[in-house]
């Protein structure tokens, strides 16, 4: 199909996306500063495990990949809340063995960044945060929309050049599944 790869991923992963949102809603990350800290700690473990193998591939595939790393944002938030991130946590993340899978996994992380902008105001309002401790939810700030659009263009270009739409979608599905499973587990 000539439709954008992002549209295809969005359509196919819609049930997985809804499950991920339901799990996040169930842990109520904005219910209290303590629950927010636990959620950020879980995010830290997930991103700390996933980003190194992901960016080993993504750095060669996406021109602005360096700007798309998010672990440092989570670490900034944890520091603002005076929480030490866990040193080593066993997190099951997608195995990044193909470029197409990496592109699909990154779609989920970039989509999360776009969606997190909508949660930013909720985090500030419910937790009375004054801008500190919400770096992850701030995303790319005023550039968030443009960064999402640029990623979608890179995704489409990869698919035009290499095909492998199924592997791209499978990478996205694997990212949703591992994120949902990890967040659903007992607090870190």
């Amino acid at each position: 199909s000539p439709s954008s790869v992002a549209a295809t991923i969005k359509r196919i992963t819609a049930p997985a996306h809804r499950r991920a949102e339901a799990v996040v809603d169930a842990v109520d990350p904005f219910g209290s500063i303590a629950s927010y800290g636990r959620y950020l700690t879980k995010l830290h473990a997930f991103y700390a495990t996933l980003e190194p193998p992901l960016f080993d591939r993504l750095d060669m595939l996406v021109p602005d990949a360096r700007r798309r790393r998010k672990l440092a944002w989570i670490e900034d938030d944890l520091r603002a809340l005076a929480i030490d991130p866990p040193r080593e946590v066993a997190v099951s993340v997608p195995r990044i063995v193909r470029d197409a899978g990496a592109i699909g996994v990154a779609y989920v992380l970039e989509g999360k960044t776009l969606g997190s902008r909508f949660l930013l105001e909720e985090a500030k309002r419910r937790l009375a945060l004054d801008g500190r401790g919400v770096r992850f939810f701030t995303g790319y700030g005023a550039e968030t929309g443009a960064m999402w659009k640029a990623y979608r263009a890179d995704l489409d270009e990869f698919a035009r050049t290499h095909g492998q739409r199924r592997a791209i979608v499978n990478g996205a599905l694997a990212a949703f599944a591992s994120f949902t499973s990890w967040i659903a587990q007992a607090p870190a």
Side-chain angles (χ1 to χ4, degrees):
S1 161
S3 70
S4 80
V5 180
T8 301
I9 294 171
K10 182 177 182 177
R11 179 177 47 79
I12 293 172
T13 64
H17 190 176
R18 285 191 297 274
R19 281 190 298 276
E21 286 178 337
V23 165
V24 171
D25 287 347
V27 300
D28 192 17
F30 309 123
S32 67
I33 290 292
S35 63
Y36 184 56
R38 285 190 300 274
Y39 183 65
L40 288 174
T41 300
K42 299 275 298 204
L43 287 179
H44 183 274
F46 184 79
Y47 279 80
T49 306
L50 183 58
E51 278 193 353
L54 175 62
F55 282 94
D56 280 350
R57 289 196 180 266
L58 212 58
D59 283 342
M60 298 177 286
L61 303 172
V62 177
D64 61 356
R66 286 183 185 255
R67 288 190 66 200
R68 297 182 182 277
R69 294 173 185 259
K70 297 164 183 71
L71 182 61
W73 299 352
I74 299 166
E75 290 172 347
D76 287 348
D77 291 342
L78 288 169
R79 274 193 297 278
L81 298 174
I83 298 171
D84 292 325
R87 296 202 186 261
E88 289 186 37
V89 178
V91 180
S92 177
V93 297
R95 198 163 151 248
I96 310 292
V97 295
R98 297 173 61 188
D99 291 350
I103 290 286
V105 168
Y107 166 89
V108 174
L109 300 186
E110 288 304 305
K112 181 158 182 48
T113 301
L114 180 68
S116 289
R117 293 285 296 159
F118 297 104
L119 298 174
L120 176 61
E121 290 309 313
E122 182 179 3
K124 287 180 177 180
R125 180 181 49 80
R126 287 185 64 195
L127 299 174
L129 296 171
D130 62 358
R132 291 179 38 85
V134 290
R135 176 65 188 94
F136 178 77
F137 289 97
T138 302
Y140 306 110
E143 295 181 72
T144 300
M147 290 291 284
W148 173 243
K149 186 176 179 180
Y151 184 76
R152 287 182 55 180
D154 292 336
L155 177 65
D156 285 341
E157 180 58 28
F158 179 89
R160 254 190 309 284
T161 305
H162 303 286
Q164 304 180 47
R165 280 181 176 236
R166 180 173 296 214
I168 294 168
V169 170
N170 286 341
L173 286 167
F176 273 122
S178 64
F179 175 80
T180 301
S181 174
W182 174 243
I183 297 301
Q185 290 180 18

